[in-house]
Amino acid sequence: MDKHLPHKQGLYDPDYEHDSCGVGFVCNIKGNKSNSIIIDGLKILNRLSHRGAVGSDPDTGDGAGILIQTPDEFFRKAASLAKINLPLYGQYGTGLVFFPREEKERLFCKDVFKKVVQEEGQGILGWRQVPVDNSVIGKVARETEPVIEQVFIKRNPGLNDEVAFERKLYIIRKIIENTIRTSKLRQRAFFYITNISMRTFSYKGLLMPHQLGQYFLDLKDESLASAIALVHSRYSTNTFPTWDLAQPFRFLAHNGEINTLRGNINWFGAKERLLESPLFGEDIEKVKPVVVPGGSDSAAIDNACELLLLSGRSLAHTMMMLIPGAWEDNNLLDEEVKAFHQYHVCLMEPWDGPASIAVTDGKSIGAILDRNGLRPSRYIVTKDQRVIMASEVGVLDTLPSEIEYSGRLTPGKIFLIDTIQGRIIHDEEIKVKVSTQKPYKQWLKDNIIELKDLPSFPTKEKSNDILTDLKAFGYTREDLKSIIKPMAETAKEPTGSMG
C-alpha cells in the first residue's frame, strides 16, 4: 500500500477505492507526428478540468497526465545536454521515475536499477534530471513531490524484435518494483516508475489539468512531437490522490470504476501459478504479482492489460478479453465471436463496471465502453485526418465544416485507429478478425465439458443431522429459527431488528 494512503482502520478500507474521471485523446489517423497533436492534447485536458477534483488545497488536483509516442528528436536534444549519447530510435527505452527526496534512499534505488538492468542483459545509458517548475503547483502537491528523473536504457543487439525489447523492459520494471517494494526502504520512501518503453512516454503527477504543461517544462518545447496524445483528469471518488495514481498509466486511461475488482484481483492471483508463455519463458516468474498491491482499480486493469499485450496479443484482442460486450444471450452475434468470448471466459473474468477506457500501445489507439454503456464518450473525425475522443463534446474547437463525421461509443463496442495502416478500424471488422485467428469453436467442442453431460451417481442416504446440512449450504441456526421457520408457519415475510 502506498505510504500516502491511510491503512485500513475503522470503517475505511483502501480496497474499496474507485475513481470517476475525465479521459480523452487526439490522434492523427495517418500517424503523422507533430507538436500540434500534443498542444491539442493539453487543450483537451484543460477542457476536462471539471472532471477532476481538488481537496482542501485548491491548487492541488487529484492528478493529471498525458501519454504520447516517444519524441525521439526532442529526447536526442535533451539527452545531449545531459551528456548522454542516444542510439537510433528503437534501440533505447526510456521513462520517468519518481524517486525519494532523501539522497541516500535515491542512490539505493538507482543501485537496484543498475543491477537489474545489467542482470537482464541491457545497459543504462544515463539519467536526466527532468526540468520542472513546482511554483505552479499546490502546497499539498509540493509536500509530497518526488525527485523526477528520466532513465535511458540501451537495447541489447541480441534482441532483434521490438516487442521482445518492450517485454524485456517490462520484466526489468517488475523486478525493480518487487525488489524495492519488499525492501526496508519502501516502508518509508516513495518510489514509482511511470513507464519504461521504447514506444510511449508519460508525463503525469499530482497536478491540476492546467498545471501539467506549466510544471513539466519539456511540454513547452516545440520539437516535442507525437501522432497520439492520450490525456486524463482524475477525480478520486473515495480514494486519496497521490503522484503515482495519476493517469494515464502505461497503456490506458480510465473513467469509471471496476465493480468486480476484488474478484478480478483474487482470480488473477489464483491463476498466476498457471501462467506460462513461450515468449516469456522462465521470465514469467519475474513479473509476479501481475497486479501490483495497493493500486487503484484503474491501475489494476492496466497491469492486466500490460501482461496480455506483451504476451503476444493485439490491442483489440486484449480489449475484447478485458471488457467483453454482452454476448451470452445475444442471438444476433456471429457464432465465431460468441465462441471467442466463451473460450476466453475460461481464462479471464470480465472487468465489469461503468467504465470508458482509452488505450494505446504507441501504434494504435482506441476506446471501449462497458457492456451497459454507463459512461459517456463521444468522438469526432475531421477532414484533416484527426480523431478527437473524450468524455464529452466540445473539448476542441472544431468548425462544422471541418468535421467528416461524429458519433459516440456504444456499449461493448470497440473504436480503434491504427496509425500504421492509417485508418479507423470498425468494431465488426475487429471482432471478426480477432475471433477467426484461432479455431475457438473447435477448441470448445473438443475441451468444454457441460455439467448436464456428466454421468450421474447414486445419492447417499438422507442424513438426520439437519444442522450439518444447513451449514453445508450456508445457513445458520439463527436463519432457521428467525427466517425459515416463521415463513413456513405463517407464510409471511419475517420481521426483525438489529441492535
Side-chain angles (χ1 to χ4, degrees):
M1 179 59 61
D2 191 275
K3 81 183 189 78
H4 300 306
L5 299 181
H7 296 288
K8 183 177 179 180
Q9 54 188 295
L11 296 176
Y12 171 75
D13 188 338
D15 285 345
Y16 295 110
E17 294 173 349
H18 55 277
D19 315 307
S20 201
C21 323
V23 62
F25 69 75
V26 59
C27 76
N28 181 281
I29 298 173
K30 301 299 181 182
N32 298 324
K33 297 182 180 181
S34 66
N35 183 246
S36 64
I37 288 290
I38 294 172
I39 292 172
D40 283 346
L42 293 174
K43 285 180 182 176
I44 292 173
L45 184 61
N46 286 334
R47 298 276 175 93
L48 294 173
S49 292
H50 63 288
R51 286 276 186 172
V54 295
S56 58
D57 176 6
D59 292 323
T60 297
D62 279 7
I66 185 169
L67 180 66
I68 61 176
Q69 292 173 319
T70 298
D72 180 63
E73 181 186 344
F74 169 74
F75 284 161
R76 205 162 288 284
K77 179 176 68 175
S80 66
L81 293 175
K83 295 182 170 50
I84 300 170
N85 186 26
L86 287 187
L88 295 174
Y89 174 75
Q91 300 301 315
Y92 69 92
T94 184
L96 292 187
V97 183
F98 294 168
F99 281 114
R101 286 188 284 190
E102 211 280 317
E103 186 178 5
K104 185 178 178 181
E105 295 170 345
R106 195 159 63 249
L107 290 174
F108 170 80
C109 294
K110 286 191 174 183
D111 286 342
V112 172
F113 234 106
K114 183 178 179 180
K115 181 182 177 184
V116 172
V117 169
Q118 289 177 345
E119 286 176 349
E120 292 300 314
Q122 315 304 306
I124 289 187
L125 292 163
W127 293 90
R128 169 185 173 244
Q129 192 79 34
V130 178
V132 298
D133 178 8
N134 66 4
S135 67
V136 302
I137 65 177
K139 177 176 179 290
V140 173
R142 275 197 303 273
E143 287 174 352
T144 57
E145 180 188 19
V147 171
I148 304 176
E149 295 192 32
Q150 181 181 1
V151 65
F152 293 94
I153 298 176
K154 185 178 180 180
R155 172 175 161 182
N156 188 314
L159 285 175
N160 55 6
D161 177 66
E162 284 187 7
V163 181
F165 184 46
E166 288 287 296
R167 195 176 300 115
K168 180 59 71 175
L169 292 173
Y170 169 57
I171 291 165
I172 286 170
R173 198 196 80 235
K174 293 293 289 186
I175 297 172
I176 293 169
E177 287 175 345
N178 289 337
T179 302
I180 293 178
R181 188 177 68 248
T182 55
S183 70
K184 291 181 180 179
L185 168 78
R186 189 62 178 107
Q187 307 304 316
R188 61 182 188 277
F190 176 63
F191 172 82
Y192 177 74
I193 303 171
T194 62
N195 189 25
I196 305 179
S197 173
M198 182 201 77
R199 296 177 176 174
T200 58
F201 195 83
S202 173
Y203 290 98
K204 69 172 190 174
L206 192 57
L207 309 166
M208 300 175 74
H210 72 274
Q211 294 170 348
L212 184 72
Q214 301 171 39
Y215 178 76
F216 287 106
L217 302 183
D218 288 357
L219 293 172
K220 297 182 178 182
D221 196 297
E222 293 183 359
S223 65
L224 205 70
S226 174
I228 289 169
L230 172 59
V231 297
H232 187 272
S233 172
R234 186 167 186 237
Y235 188 110
S236 358
T237 315
N238 290 331
T239 185
F240 292 84
T242 61
W243 281 83
D244 55 323
L245 291 182
Q247 298 183 43
F249 288 109
R250 283 107 193 182
F251 286 92
L252 60 80
H254 171 223
N255 168 34
E257 54 194 278
I258 306 298
N259 292 338
T260 58
L261 181 66
R262 177 45 51 198
N264 292 128
I265 293 174
N266 288 345
W267 276 115
F268 225 113
K271 292 176 178 177
E272 276 188 353
R273 65 184 183 86
L274 302 175
L275 286 178
E276 60 177 69
S277 166
L279 297 176
F280 278 97
E282 294 182 0
D283 283 343
I284 196 70
E285 295 299 320
K286 299 175 182 177
V287 306
K288 299 176 182 178
V290 174
V291 178
V292 178
S296 63
D297 55 349
S298 307
I301 193 172
D302 184 76
N303 293 155
C305 175
E306 187 172 33
L307 177 70
L308 295 176
L309 275 168
L310 295 176
S311 59
R313 294 171 176 85
S314 67
L315 192 64
H317 189 153
T318 300
M319 293 163 77
M320 286 173 68
M321 283 183 69
L322 291 172
I323 307 180
W327 61 272
E328 290 177 277
D329 297 317
N330 186 352
N331 296 324
L332 300 176
L333 199 63
D334 186 272
E335 288 300 317
E336 296 286 354
V337 178
K338 265 193 173 183
F340 171 90
H341 288 303
Q342 190 178 356
Y343 173 83
H344 282 87
V345 81
C346 300
L347 308 178
M348 171 74 65
E349 288 67 35
W351 294 66
D352 266 342
S356 171
I357 288 183
V359 58
T360 181
D361 60 1
K363 292 185 176 182
S364 298
I365 187 166
I368 189 169
L369 209 58
D370 66 277
R371 65 178 70 189
N372 293 312
L374 296 175
R375 283 291 184 270
S377 293
R378 295 186 172 271
Y379 62 85
I380 290 174
V381 180
T382 66
K383 292 177 181 178
D384 64 351
Q385 298 298 302
R386 286 183 308 154
V387 174
I388 304 159
M389 196 288 296
S391 351
E392 49 255 279
V393 294
V395 290
L396 284 180
D397 296 328
T398 310
L399 294 173
S401 59
E402 298 173 348
I403 298 172
E404 188 75 35
Y405 62 90
S406 60
R408 65 180 180 88
L409 298 186
T410 50
K413 299 293 179 67
I414 297 173
F415 180 63
L416 187 68
I417 302 101
D418 187 324
T419 63
I420 303 301
Q421 295 185 39
R423 68 188 184 100
I424 296 172
I425 307 176
H426 296 284
D427 180 80
E428 186 177 348
E429 180 186 347
I430 289 168
K431 290 179 177 174
V432 168
K433 181 181 178 181
V434 172
S435 62
T436 55
Q437 284 177 335
K438 301 289 182 183
Y440 295 114
K441 283 180 73 174
Q442 190 60 45
W443 287 352
L444 291 172
K445 183 179 178 182
D446 294 342
N447 297 287
I448 288 287
I449 299 173
E450 300 284 349
L451 291 178
K452 62 183 176 61
D453 297 330
L454 290 175
S456 58
F457 293 92
T459 56
K460 293 183 179 180
E461 292 183 9
K462 288 187 177 180
S463 169
N464 291 323
D465 187 356
I466 296 175
L467 286 178
T468 300
D469 290 344
L470 286 171
K471 286 179 182 178
F473 287 91
Y475 292 94
T476 65
R477 189 192 298 269
E478 185 179 357
D479 293 329
L480 182 63
K481 179 182 177 181
S482 305
I483 300 175
I484 299 172
K485 184 173 180 285
M487 289 175 70
E489 289 179 344
T490 64
K492 292 181 180 178
E493 192 78 17
T495 57
S497 174
M498 291 182 66

